[in-house]
Amino acid sequence: MAGHFEGELWGLAVHPFNPLCATCGGDKTVRIWDLNEGTMVNSIRPLTNDLRAIDWSPNGRLLVAGHMNGELILFNSNNLDILSTYQSSFKTKDSWIQAIKFSPDSSKVAFGAHGGASRIEVVMV
């Protein structure tokens, strides 16, 4: 499979029951890949910052990605429309969202940041 256009691939999440994966990276995009065909099936236009982490909700309906600037972006996983954004408390230059996960019922997102000791933040989606 081809990768992201430029920059590094930073995050990868597998769909909970379909042969798909989502990636994000240094080219500021989210991309959806068909794992059986080895092809990209959808992507977004580049955003303003690198994306560093991504997760697919357990119900398969949502994707959440973490920006380099500490912002979370919630996507409809079917069409990659942005549903909402959330600015975390991680706002310094070297405090990007490093890890992000949905709760088992897909109602919350927990995440933490790179750059030293950080607390875990949890938001409702």
Side-chain angles (χ1 to χ4, degrees), residues 10-35:
W10 280 93
L12 184 144
V14 176
H15 192 281
F17 38 84
N18 291 330
L20 300 169
C21 74
T23 59
C24 67
D27 63 356
K28 304 171 178 66
T29 66
V30 170
R31 298 170 187 255
I32 306 293
W33 305 88
D34 181 313
L35 295 173

Tab-separated table of all heavy atoms in Angstrom, residues 10-35:
chain	number	residue	atom	x	y	z
A	10	TRP	N	1.909	8.726	11.587
A	10	TRP	CA	1.977	8.790	13.047
A	10	TRP	C	0.954	7.902	13.730
A	10	TRP	O	1.189	7.423	14.819
A	10	TRP	CB	1.786	10.233	13.514
A	10	TRP	CG	3.018	11.038	13.393
A	10	TRP	CD1	3.385	11.814	12.326
A	10	TRP	CD2	4.068	11.154	14.346
A	10	TRP	NE1	4.591	12.413	12.568
A	10	TRP	CE2	5.030	12.024	13.814
A	10	TRP	CE3	4.282	10.620	15.605
A	10	TRP	CZ2	6.196	12.367	14.485
A	10	TRP	CZ3	5.433	10.960	16.292
A	10	TRP	CH2	6.378	11.821	15.722
A	11	GLY	N	-0.203	7.729	13.135
A	11	GLY	CA	-1.238	6.955	13.804
A	11	GLY	C	-1.914	5.986	12.866
A	11	GLY	O	-2.034	6.225	11.664
A	12	LEU	N	-2.364	4.845	13.439
A	12	LEU	CA	-3.066	3.828	12.675
A	12	LEU	C	-4.108	3.200	13.580
A	12	LEU	O	-3.814	2.870	14.736
A	12	LEU	CB	-2.098	2.764	12.168
A	12	LEU	CG	-2.702	1.690	11.270
A	12	LEU	CD1	-1.710	1.306	10.191
A	12	LEU	CD2	-3.132	0.485	12.052
A	13	ALA	N	-5.328	3.054	13.071
A	13	ALA	CA	-6.409	2.409	13.815
A	13	ALA	C	-7.139	1.462	12.873
A	13	ALA	O	-7.395	1.801	11.716
A	13	ALA	CB	-7.372	3.447	14.364
A	14	VAL	N	-7.480	0.282	13.377
A	14	VAL	CA	-8.185	-0.715	12.583
A	14	VAL	C	-9.671	-0.645	12.896
A	14	VAL	O	-10.067	-0.490	14.056
A	14	VAL	CB	-7.622	-2.123	12.876
A	14	VAL	CG1	-8.393	-3.192	12.130
A	14	VAL	CG2	-6.146	-2.187	12.515
A	15	HIS	N	-10.504	-0.749	11.850
A	15	HIS	CA	-11.959	-0.772	12.027
A	15	HIS	C	-12.315	-1.967	12.904
A	15	HIS	O	-11.703	-3.029	12.784
A	15	HIS	CB	-12.642	-0.875	10.663
A	15	HIS	CG	-14.112	-0.632	10.705
A	15	HIS	ND1	-15.002	-1.589	11.126
A	15	HIS	CD2	-14.847	0.458	10.382
A	15	HIS	CE1	-16.226	-1.103	11.062
A	15	HIS	NE2	-16.164	0.151	10.614
A	16	PRO	N	-13.318	-1.826	13.782
A	16	PRO	CA	-13.624	-2.913	14.708
A	16	PRO	C	-14.170	-4.187	14.070
A	16	PRO	O	-14.050	-5.265	14.659
A	16	PRO	CB	-14.657	-2.303	15.664
A	16	PRO	CG	-15.208	-1.132	14.954
A	16	PRO	CD	-14.131	-0.640	14.025
A	17	PHE	N	-14.758	-4.122	12.870
A	17	PHE	CA	-15.266	-5.347	12.263
A	17	PHE	C	-15.189	-5.407	10.744
A	17	PHE	O	-15.504	-6.425	10.164
A	17	PHE	CB	-16.712	-5.648	12.727
A	17	PHE	CG	-17.587	-4.442	12.877
A	17	PHE	CD1	-18.241	-3.894	11.798
A	17	PHE	CD2	-17.738	-3.847	14.115
A	17	PHE	CE1	-19.050	-2.778	11.946
A	17	PHE	CE2	-18.536	-2.727	14.272
A	17	PHE	CZ	-19.203	-2.203	13.200
A	18	ASN	N	-14.757	-4.358	10.083
A	18	ASN	CA	-14.566	-4.373	8.630
A	18	ASN	C	-13.074	-4.360	8.301
A	18	ASN	O	-12.272	-3.877	9.097
A	18	ASN	CB	-15.235	-3.154	7.980
A	18	ASN	CG	-16.742	-3.220	8.051
A	18	ASN	OD1	-17.325	-4.296	8.050
A	18	ASN	ND2	-17.379	-2.077	8.125
A	19	PRO	N	-12.695	-4.858	7.132
A	19	PRO	CA	-11.273	-4.887	6.756
A	19	PRO	C	-10.777	-3.517	6.284
A	19	PRO	O	-10.408	-3.330	5.129
A	19	PRO	CB	-11.219	-5.936	5.649
A	19	PRO	CG	-12.568	-5.855	5.001
A	19	PRO	CD	-13.530	-5.532	6.123
A	20	LEU	N	-10.804	-2.542	7.193
A	20	LEU	CA	-10.378	-1.179	6.915
A	20	LEU	C	-9.427	-0.717	8.003
A	20	LEU	O	-9.504	-1.186	9.144
A	20	LEU	CB	-11.582	-0.226	6.906
A	20	LEU	CG	-12.690	-0.472	5.905
A	20	LEU	CD1	-13.899	0.398	6.223
A	20	LEU	CD2	-12.194	-0.223	4.489
A	21	CYS	N	-8.562	0.222	7.659
A	21	CYS	CA	-7.781	0.913	8.680
A	21	CYS	C	-7.738	2.387	8.335
A	21	CYS	O	-7.925	2.782	7.188
A	21	CYS	CB	-6.381	0.327	8.849
A	21	CYS	SG	-5.222	0.700	7.550
A	22	ALA	N	-7.535	3.189	9.363
A	22	ALA	CA	-7.411	4.638	9.204
A	22	ALA	C	-6.005	5.022	9.631
A	22	ALA	O	-5.472	4.479	10.596
A	22	ALA	CB	-8.442	5.363	10.064
A	23	THR	N	-5.419	5.962	8.902
A	23	THR	CA	-4.088	6.457	9.249
A	23	THR	C	-4.110	7.978	9.299
A	23	THR	O	-4.969	8.628	8.705
A	23	THR	CB	-3.020	6.003	8.230
A	23	THR	OG1	-3.372	6.479	6.927
A	23	THR	CG2	-2.860	4.488	8.224
A	24	CYS	N	-3.137	8.526	10.021
A	24	CYS	CA	-2.948	9.979	10.056
A	24	CYS	C	-1.456	10.243	10.113
A	24	CYS	O	-0.674	9.370	10.482
A	24	CYS	CB	-3.674	10.607	11.240
A	24	CYS	SG	-3.019	10.158	12.858
A	25	GLY	N	-1.055	11.465	9.744
A	25	GLY	CA	0.371	11.705	9.743
A	25	GLY	C	0.800	13.125	9.477
A	25	GLY	O	0.022	14.078	9.581
A	26	GLY	N	2.072	13.220	9.113
A	26	GLY	CA	2.725	14.494	8.915
A	26	GLY	C	2.250	15.265	7.703
A	26	GLY	O	2.578	16.438	7.546
A	27	ASP	N	1.464	14.631	6.840
A	27	ASP	CA	0.913	15.369	5.699
A	27	ASP	C	-0.431	16.021	6.043
A	27	ASP	O	-1.115	16.531	5.168
A	27	ASP	CB	0.782	14.464	4.473
A	27	ASP	CG	-0.179	13.318	4.663
A	27	ASP	OD1	-0.719	13.136	5.782
A	27	ASP	OD2	-0.411	12.576	3.683
A	28	LYS	N	-0.802	15.968	7.342
A	28	LYS	CA	-1.998	16.660	7.856
A	28	LYS	C	-3.309	16.047	7.374
A	28	LYS	O	-4.344	16.702	7.349
A	28	LYS	CB	-1.960	18.148	7.524
A	28	LYS	CG	-0.717	18.866	8.027
A	28	LYS	CD	-0.641	20.280	7.487
A	28	LYS	CE	0.550	21.045	7.991
A	28	LYS	NZ	1.840	20.566	7.562
A	29	THR	N	-3.279	14.765	6.985
A	29	THR	CA	-4.481	14.117	6.471
A	29	THR	C	-4.869	12.900	7.309
A	29	THR	O	-4.052	12.344	8.043
A	29	THR	CB	-4.306	13.639	5.015
A	29	THR	OG1	-3.325	12.596	4.973
A	29	THR	CG2	-3.919	14.778	4.094
A	30	VAL	N	-6.128	12.503	7.142
A	30	VAL	CA	-6.640	11.208	7.592
A	30	VAL	C	-6.961	10.439	6.329
A	30	VAL	O	-7.540	11.002	5.381
A	30	VAL	CB	-7.907	11.366	8.460
A	30	VAL	CG1	-8.565	10.021	8.727
A	30	VAL	CG2	-7.576	12.061	9.760
A	31	ARG	N	-6.587	9.178	6.306
A	31	ARG	CA	-6.840	8.339	5.135
A	31	ARG	C	-7.453	7.015	5.586
A	31	ARG	O	-7.066	6.488	6.624
A	31	ARG	CB	-5.546	8.070	4.364
A	31	ARG	CG	-4.925	9.343	3.820
A	31	ARG	CD	-3.532	9.099	3.274
A	31	ARG	NE	-2.904	10.351	2.916
A	31	ARG	CZ	-2.743	10.781	1.669
A	31	ARG	NH1	-3.159	10.050	0.655
A	31	ARG	NH2	-2.161	11.935	1.430
A	32	ILE	N	-8.376	6.501	4.782
A	32	ILE	CA	-8.994	5.201	5.038
A	32	ILE	C	-8.484	4.231	3.968
A	32	ILE	O	-8.476	4.559	2.776
A	32	ILE	CB	-10.537	5.272	4.970
A	32	ILE	CG1	-11.085	6.359	5.895
A	32	ILE	CG2	-11.149	3.900	5.280
A	32	ILE	CD1	-10.900	6.117	7.354
A	33	TRP	N	-8.094	3.045	4.416
A	33	TRP	CA	-7.498	2.040	3.536
A	33	TRP	C	-8.303	0.748	3.584
A	33	TRP	O	-8.735	0.314	4.651
A	33	TRP	CB	-6.066	1.748	3.976
A	33	TRP	CG	-5.207	2.958	4.051
A	33	TRP	CD1	-5.059	3.789	5.128
A	33	TRP	CD2	-4.384	3.487	3.024
A	33	TRP	NE1	-4.188	4.802	4.822
A	33	TRP	CE2	-3.750	4.641	3.536
A	33	TRP	CE3	-4.115	3.098	1.718
A	33	TRP	CZ2	-2.872	5.410	2.790
A	33	TRP	CZ3	-3.233	3.861	0.968
A	33	TRP	CH2	-2.619	5.002	1.508
A	34	ASP	N	-8.473	0.119	2.422
A	34	ASP	CA	-9.081	-1.204	2.322
A	34	ASP	C	-7.956	-2.219	2.495
A	34	ASP	O	-7.031	-2.280	1.673
A	34	ASP	CB	-9.753	-1.355	0.955
A	34	ASP	CG	-10.429	-2.695	0.774
A	34	ASP	OD1	-9.809	-3.736	1.082
A	34	ASP	OD2	-11.585	-2.699	0.319
A	35	LEU	N	-8.024	-3.012	3.553
A	35	LEU	CA	-6.938	-3.943	3.853
A	35	LEU	C	-6.907	-5.135	2.899
A	35	LEU	O	-5.849	-5.727	2.682
A	35	LEU	CB	-7.048	-4.430	5.305
A	35	LEU	CG	-6.862	-3.342	6.357
A	35	LEU	CD1	-7.161	-3.882	7.742
A	35	LEU	CD2	-5.459	-2.757	6.290
